[in-house]
Amino acid sequence: MAPSMRDLQLTAVNGAAADDMEDVRLLDSYEDRTEDNLLRIEEGMKRIQVRITGMTCAACSTSVEGALMAVNGVVKASVALLQNKADVVFDPNSVKDEDIKNAIEDAGFEAEILTEPCSSGSKPHKIQLGQFTIGGMTCAACVNSVEGILRDLHGVKRAVVALATALGEVEYDSTVISKDDIINAIEDAGFEGSFVQSSEQDKIVLGVTGVFYELDVQFLEGILINLKGVRQFRFDRTSGELEVLFDPEVVSSRSLVDGIEGGSNGKFKLHVMNPYARMTSRNVEEASNMFRQFTSSLFLSIPVFFIRVICPHIPLLDALLLWRCGPFLMGDWLKWALVSVVQFVIGKRFYIAAGRALRNGSTNMDVLVALGTSASYFYSVGALLYGAVTEFWSPTYFETSAMLITFVLLGKYLECLAKGKTSDAIKKLVELTPATALLVVKDKGGKCIEEREIDALLIQPGDTLKVLPGTKLPADGVVVWGTSYINESMVTGESVPVSKEINSLVIGGTINLHGALQIQATKVGSDAVLSQIISLVETAQMSKAPIQKFADYVASIFVPTVVAMSLLTLLGWYIGGVIGAYPEEWLPENSNYFVFALMFSISVVVIACPCALGLATPTAVMVATGVGANNGVLIKGGDALERGQQVKYVVFDKTGTLTQGKATVTTAKVFVGMDRGEFLTLVASAEASSEHPLGRAIVEYARHFHFFDDPSPDQNATNHKTESTVSGWLHDVSNFSALPGRGVQCFINGKGVLVGNRKLMTESGITIPTHVENFVVELEESAETGILVAYDNNLIGVLGVADPLKREAAVVVEGLVKMGVRPVMVTGDNWRTARAVAKEVGIQDVRAEVMPAGKVDVIRSFQKDGSVVAMVGDGINDSPALAAADVGMAIGAGTDIAIEAADYVLMKSNLEDVITAIDISRKTFHRIRLNYVFAMAYNVIAIPVAAGVFFPLLGIILPPWAAGACMALSSVSVVCSSLLLRRYKKPRLTTILEITVE
């Protein structure tokens, strides 16, 4: 049964057309402020949208477009078949809205002009980034062809296509072109196109069970028609998938599923189709299909090869094959029959792909395969027919066609395996999230009235979810009831379970080890940590390294060059034989000059292949990003890898990067007659409103001082503790202000309070006595930060705050030095503390008292001589520096800013992964260079051999079937070379530091 599509809701929502159904895969839509005039409607033109009923196929949409363009005054008409909508731009002085409607109805369709039409310049551009799967690409030339077609589409701003992942990312203006238009353009070019499920909440793909008959389909459609908020739907009975576009302001995805299941009285059962799981299953299906084709071709090709090579040495079989059956020998009949199946049944895909490429005005590997196999096949058929007529039997090359197709399919199968292997990281991440979740339904008083199981992909922000011991957390959220320990190693890499209590943050996909919890979902869908990681890995695997541009250029001109070389080879050997440039004894038995020349010509076409060149970079990048993800290092793609292997300087932020980021108060000294407890209460009151880590450490220290014997952290006690610690013992504060780089100031009991560094005290006119200064210096020389406190214009005390170093910091710094990388430390802390910390970790180059914006200047100072600089920060206040560096490395598990600003995200928050990131980059580019050596050297050597350059001197002839084997082996060698990166092992610090462990 053909998929059905129904339009259901024709009203506008919030002043916009209700069918504005564009989706975004990786990024939210944003307004284009830099190119506002790029696609602006000409002055005086009017734009309307028309709902069209009755279109069933592409011919219908073409007919409507033709009818509209035939109307005098219509400037542009675009018809979207799946949306049943037409977008028309016209001159209102020449044609009216009603004329547009009449033209459509005269063409045999029903039309309705939608409300809120867009006039000139009134509708802002809506730039979106969509991701599409593209099937049928075979080499870099295909990629260039698809990219060119997409970039030429009106409304498309940018298009990137990746061969290795068969994915394309398209940035487009949804007010000008829809995703369906993009898919149509891909399919019109001869490739297969489909849209990857969006992160927008207006589209859902559901698997439906319980549909067996036509009446069931009609029943399902009837339910959907009566559901409010449903815009369009399409059910594919073959796959059992239901695609629904809906208005998220009217109906949620969960209520949509509940409405369908409830409306069927339980007859239909629905589950949400995970887009990443669907893509993985497509990869598996593609590999399985390619393996079947390869084995079928191999099964038919082995007898052909056996007849040619083995049978002549077995008298009985040779006699049987030499038995004449009609005009031909039995062996010729067998080879012709077997190879015809390989050539036109199994090899049909190469003719289709070659025709697609030629139709688009490009050439690719399929053109070479189709040309080479066709030349050998049709020449062999012609030789047989010619021999039957003239009794002059020339040699045939049937085995060339069969073996070439077999070897090419082998290479394609290995490429599919490479895709499948390198998607393991995404597959593992997808499997982390459970399929279902236990939803807790509460009444208005907060009392639980029901617990029911729902699909985990239907969780909404604000849902309360119950997590039983031993199960996975279904979503990111915050604990609202219970205490437990969570194993977060699958995300953070930290093997020690983390204690969780009320108000603790939790990450979806992690495992609840002990007690039962109730969590409130905060981030779902594309906002969740795991979804962001998956998107990052997926985007990285389809990115292109700059070095690949050279390969793409070579591939684009390679095929025409090879065809020209093949023709020159044919003419050279043929003319050379005719004029007597070489002796007739060189000719094989029963051959002539043309057949002899044709053999070399076919070998040139067969052996030359740009596929290996096109696969050299993307396969290595795919494997490297997958390997990095498995090792806790998320890499943003080939561009990041290329810069990462050139790093000369690594700039470390101090707090939270080299240190643990968990500041603790070590000393509290009062220099006046004030009680120690009152002093701490005063300082904690001033810092209670501060978000700075040092401020939180001070408040925590004071709280423990006053409430050392806190009650057990059950829910009531926690609420009581929060109230008492915030409002019960702290002073009232007025006129609070945080002073970046200096401290905080406020008023308590009408008197000024200052908590901060020397600079704050000096600026405020507070005198620092010599004995206080000496005490602060002692703290700083011990790698502690001295916090000065002034009250009522008098300095009353000092707090010493220490942030312990990460245990691996010193050895990582030493390891970088051994690798030829120069470490640098930047911090906003004072010079004495900075020097003390730097001395402990072994960093020679220190930049202290640097404000966050000043870190960018430090990085640029190293970049002046062209050096590649990496910045390692916590991904929050270091985001400008992460973006300014050539290579940004964010420490921390999946923060939004880290993913946005950094090139590498070190998920385990372990400094050893800085070495891992650089080492992966270096090993990957070593492998890429090796791949290019395989690909380039192969063609440089193989093509002259195939052309017969060495035949006059050495007597070397490369038969076409052997040339086909060599061609396939070039791609196999590159793919296998890249797959060797899967054996990557993290460098051991003992090896880098040349430490011998006894």
Side-chain angles (χ1 to χ4, degrees):
M1 176 182 174
S4 62
M5 174 62 79
R6 302 287 179 89
D7 291 310
L8 303 172
Q9 188 167 322
L10 307 181
T11 58
V13 178
N14 291 339
D19 60 335
D20 187 8
M21 295 173 289
E22 301 310 314
D23 298 310
V24 180
R25 170 62 188 84
L26 298 176
L27 299 177
D28 292 333
S29 61
Y30 63 94
E31 300 212 358
D32 181 9
R33 296 181 177 85
T34 58
E35 300 184 24
D36 279 340
N37 298 320
L38 181 64
L39 302 171
R40 182 170 293 170
I41 303 172
E42 294 181 11
E43 188 68 28
M45 295 294 105
K46 184 179 180 181
R47 184 178 197 168
I48 63 171
Q49 292 183 340
V50 185
R51 176 76 65 197
I52 304 173
T53 305
M55 296 191 298
T56 59
C57 62
C60 297
S61 61
T62 303
S63 175
V64 174
E65 282 187 2
L68 290 172
M69 292 304 296
V71 176
N72 184 32
V74 172
V75 177
K76 178 181 178 294
S78 176
V79 178
L81 174 63
L82 294 182
Q83 294 181 359
N84 292 332
K85 179 184 68 176
D87 190 82
V88 187
V89 179
F90 61 95
D91 184 354
N93 297 322
S94 303
V95 63
K96 305 300 181 185
D97 295 9
E98 196 64 24
D99 298 329
I100 302 293
K101 179 181 177 182
N102 292 337
I104 297 173
E105 291 178 344
D106 290 343
F109 304 92
E110 297 179 11
E112 177 189 359
I113 298 175
L114 297 176
T115 57
E116 298 294 337
C118 267
S119 57
S120 174
S122 64
K123 188 172 183 178
H125 296 170
K126 189 178 181 184
I127 306 301
Q128 298 191 350
L129 187 67
Q131 194 175 54
F132 301 80
T133 57
I134 303 172
M137 297 188 298
T138 57
C139 66
C142 295
V143 172
N144 294 336
S145 176
V146 176
E147 283 185 349
I149 291 168
L150 292 176
R151 288 169 181 166
D152 289 341
L153 292 176
H154 187 50
V156 171
K157 299 170 66 64
R158 182 179 65 85
V160 179
V161 176
L163 172 64
T165 57
L167 289 174
E169 271 195 348
V170 183
E171 188 178 341
Y172 62 100
D173 186 340
S174 61
T175 64
V176 178
I177 187 171
S178 71
K179 63 180 182 297
D180 297 312
D181 296 330
I182 295 172
I183 292 172
N184 291 336
I186 294 171
E187 292 178 344
D188 289 344
F191 299 91
E192 299 172 4
S194 63
F195 187 79
V196 178
Q197 184 158 322
S198 167
S199 60
E200 289 280 319
Q201 298 300 313
D202 62 352
K203 176 183 175 182
I204 190 170
V205 179
L206 303 166
V208 184
T209 57
V211 178
F212 304 106
Y213 308 106
E214 180 63 28
L215 288 176
D216 295 334
V217 176
Q218 295 176 6
F219 185 29
L220 176 62
E221 291 178 350
I223 295 172
L224 288 164
I225 289 173
N226 292 319
L227 283 177
K228 292 182 178 181
V230 175
R231 292 172 173 173
Q232 293 179 342
F233 64 85
R234 179 170 53 194
F235 178 66
D236 188 339
R237 186 171 175 180
T238 304
S239 63
E241 290 187 2
L242 173 65
E243 181 180 304
V244 183
L245 280 77
F246 60 94
D247 186 348
E249 296 185 4
V250 177
V251 62
S252 68
S253 58
R254 188 162 71 221
S255 58
L256 179 68
V257 171
D258 291 342
I260 297 173
E261 291 183 343
S264 68
N265 294 320
K267 176 178 177 56
F268 302 136
K269 297 297 182 183
L270 284 76
H271 64 277
V272 183
M273 304 294 291
N274 190 304
Y276 300 108
R278 293 167 67 204
M279 290 177 62
T280 302
S281 65
R282 279 198 294 266
N283 289 336
V284 173
E285 183 180 351
E286 182 185 6
S288 177
N289 181 52
M290 196 60 65
F291 181 73
R292 286 195 300 269
Q293 292 189 37
F294 163 66
T295 53
S296 300
S297 181
L298 181 64
F299 178 77
L300 295 172
S301 299
I302 287 178
V304 178
F305 183 79
F306 194 77
I307 292 171
R308 175 64 181 263
V309 179
I310 306 299
C311 288
H313 302 287
I314 304 175
L316 182 61
L317 291 178
D318 189 45
L320 180 64
L321 294 174
L322 292 176
W323 176 53
R324 184 170 294 277
C325 182
F328 309 124
L329 301 178
M330 179 58 70
D332 293 330
W333 280 113
L334 289 174
K335 288 191 291 184
W336 191 355
L338 292 170
V339 174
S340 294
V341 176
V342 176
Q343 182 75 24
F344 299 111
V345 179
I346 299 175
K348 178 179 66 175
R349 65 190 311 276
F350 297 109
Y351 283 104
I352 294 174
R356 174 196 305 146
L358 294 174
R359 186 168 65 249
N360 294 325
S362 63
T363 52
N364 58 14
M365 188 200 75
D366 295 301
V367 174
L368 288 180
V369 173
L371 187 60
T373 57
S374 297
S376 58
Y377 177 84
F378 288 111
Y379 159 74
S380 300
V381 172
L384 286 180
L385 296 176
Y386 183 77
V389 174
T390 65
E391 294 296 324
F392 180 80
W393 300 97
S394 299
T396 60
Y397 299 113
F398 281 118
E399 66 280 353
T400 298
S401 298
M403 298 304 291
L404 175 58
I405 290 175
T406 301
F407 283 127
V408 171
L409 289 174
L410 172 61
K412 290 296 173 189
Y413 172 63
L414 289 175
E415 289 174 34
C416 291
L417 285 183
K419 288 183 189 178
K421 293 293 185 183
T422 51
S423 64
D424 282 351
I426 292 178
K427 184 178 179 181
K428 290 177 182 177
L429 289 168
V430 171
E431 291 173 348
L432 285 179
T433 305
T436 60
L438 197 58
L439 177 67
V440 178
V441 181
K442 298 182 179 181
D443 59 18
K444 293 182 179 180
K447 182 180 179 181
C448 176
I449 58 175
E450 180 188 1
E451 291 181 4
R452 65 187 182 98
E453 193 174 73
I454 63 169
D455 194 308
L457 294 175
L458 295 177
I459 297 172
Q460 299 170 357
D463 283 347
T464 300
L465 308 168
K466 185 175 182 178
V467 187
L468 299 175
T471 61
K472 296 177 182 177
L473 275 73
D476 296 359
V478 60
V479 177
V480 295
W481 178 87
T483 61
S484 182
Y485 282 87
I486 304 293
N487 179 4
E488 297 183 342
S489 60
M490 61 287 300
V491 177
T492 66
E494 180 57 55
S495 58
V496 179
V498 182
S499 174
K500 300 293 182 180
E501 55 186 26
I502 294 175
N503 295 327
S504 297
L505 298 178
V506 292
I507 303 173
T510 55
I511 300 175
N512 180 24
L513 296 179
H514 299 298
L517 294 175
Q518 285 188 11
I519 67 169
Q520 186 176 62
T522 55
K523 292 184 177 181
V524 299
S526 61
D527 294 330
V529 168
L530 282 179
S531 294
Q532 291 182 347
I533 296 172
I534 292 171
S535 295
L536 181 60
V537 174
E538 187 181 57
T539 305
Q541 290 190 343
M542 68 170 294
S543 67
K544 293 185 178 181
I547 193 174
Q548 193 175 339
K549 294 178 181 178
F550 169 73
D552 290 346
Y553 171 74
V554 172
S556 66
I557 64 174
F558 193 84
V559 176
T561 303
V562 169
V563 173
M565 291 174 62
S566 175
L567 292 175
L568 289 174
T569 300
L570 175 65
L571 293 175
W573 280 103
Y574 178 70
I575 295 173
V578 172
I579 65 176
Y582 56 86
E584 190 174 345
E585 289 77 15
W586 285 5
L587 301 180
E589 185 180 355
N590 295 332
S591 186
N592 55 42
Y593 291 119
F594 176 76
V595 173
F596 187 56
L598 183 63
M599 178 189 66
F600 289 113
S601 178
I602 292 174
S603 294
V604 170
V605 172
V606 168
I607 203 167
C609 174
C611 193
L613 196 64
L615 291 171
T617 297
T619 54
V621 169
M622 273 185 59
V623 176
T625 51
V627 166
N630 286 333
N631 283 280
V633 179
L634 300 184
I635 308 167
K636 277 200 172 179
D639 195 14
L641 281 167
E642 184 161 345
R643 295 193 305 269
Q645 54 101 25
Q646 300 170 340
V647 168
K648 183 177 179 181
Y649 295 92
V650 173
V651 179
F652 289 97
D653 175 50
K654 180 177 77 71
T655 304
T657 303
L658 290 173
T659 65
Q660 295 178 12
K662 298 177 181 178
T664 57
V665 177
T666 58
T667 305
K669 189 172 182 62
V670 184
F671 294 100
V672 295
M674 182 180 292
D675 177 73
R676 179 184 175 89
E678 177 59 25
F679 169 74
L680 291 175
T681 302
L682 189 73
V683 180
S685 301
E687 290 285 3
S689 300
S690 174
E691 294 296 325
H692 196 280
L694 296 182
R696 292 198 296 269
I698 292 171
V699 174
E700 185 67 14
Y701 180 81
R703 186 182 67 82
H704 277 290
F705 180 85
H706 287 289
F707 303 97
F708 184 80
D709 296 322
D710 277 336
S712 59
D714 59 23
Q715 186 175 10
N716 293 331
T718 302
N719 292 338
H720 171 72
K721 179 175 65 178
T722 302
E723 181 181 356
S724 65
T725 55
V726 172
S727 60
W729 63 281
L730 296 177
H731 298 304
D732 293 332
V733 173
S734 61
N735 298 331
F736 173 86
S737 61
L739 306 172
R742 297 188 292 278
V744 300
Q745 66 179 14
C746 63
F747 284 88
I748 296 176
N749 299 327
K751 298 179 180 179
V753 178
L754 300 173
V755 183
N757 55 20
R758 293 183 185 86
K759 189 174 183 180
L760 176 61
M761 301 300 158
T762 303
E763 290 177 352
S764 303
I766 306 296
T767 303
I768 303 176
T770 304
H771 65 284
V772 175
E773 175 65 23
N774 292 337
F775 181 77
V776 173
V777 169
E778 289 178 12
L779 291 175
E780 293 171 345
E781 289 177 346
S782 301
E784 297 182 25
T785 301
I787 306 295
L788 293 87
V789 182
Y791 180 61
D792 195 18
N793 295 323
N794 294 310
L795 198 147
I796 63 172
V798 173
L799 294 167
V801 181
D803 188 359
L805 287 171
K806 291 182 177 177
R807 59 184 180 181
E808 74 275 10
V811 290
V812 167
V813 167
E814 186 177 354
L816 289 171
V817 173
K818 291 284 187 180
M819 295 173 68
V821 178
R822 180 178 170 184
V824 181
M825 187 183 83
V826 294
T827 177
D829 214 335
N830 65 83
W831 277 99
R832 289 192 185 90
T833 303
R835 287 195 188 100
V837 171
K839 184 177 180 180
E840 285 190 53
V841 298
I843 293 179
Q844 303 296 323
D845 195 339
V846 182
R847 309 297 169 93
E849 298 180 0
V850 178
M851 298 291 287
K855 295 177 183 178
V856 175
D857 297 328
V858 172
I859 290 170
R860 287 174 178 166
S861 67
F862 291 117
Q863 292 173 328
K864 287 181 179 178
D865 62 352
S867 298
V868 176
V869 181
M871 171 68 193
V872 185
D874 58 15
I876 301 174
N877 60 343
D878 294 320
S879 56
L882 289 169
D886 299 292
V887 180
M889 297 184 183
I891 294 280
T895 62
D896 293 338
I897 296 178
I899 290 178
E900 184 66 27
D903 300 294
Y904 295 77
V905 180
L906 312 182
M907 296 299 297
K908 298 179 181 179
S909 300
N910 191 317
L911 289 178
E912 291 182 31
D913 288 338
V914 174
I915 290 178
T916 302
I918 296 175
D919 188 64
I920 288 177
S921 300
R922 291 181 176 181
K923 293 235 176 13
T924 301
F925 264 77
H926 171 74
R927 186 62 56 182
I928 288 174
R929 294 186 186 98
L930 198 60
N931 288 349
Y932 277 123
V933 169
F934 287 149
M936 300 291 289
Y938 158 81
N939 283 306
V940 169
I941 296 172
I943 292 178
V945 173
V949 171
F950 300 106
F951 177 69
L953 295 176
L954 304 176
I956 298 176
I957 293 180
L958 195 65
W961 69 267
C966 293
M967 183 275 290
L969 288 174
S970 69
S971 297
V972 170
S973 66
V974 167
V975 173
C976 290
S977 172
S978 295
L979 285 176
L980 286 176
L981 281 171
R982 285 178 51 82
R983 301 174 61 185
Y984 173 83
K985 300 293 183 184
K986 294 177 63 173
R988 300 180 62 180
L989 288 174
T990 54
T991 303
I992 296 175
L993 301 177
E994 300 176 354
I995 298 174
T996 303
V997 180
E998 297 182 357

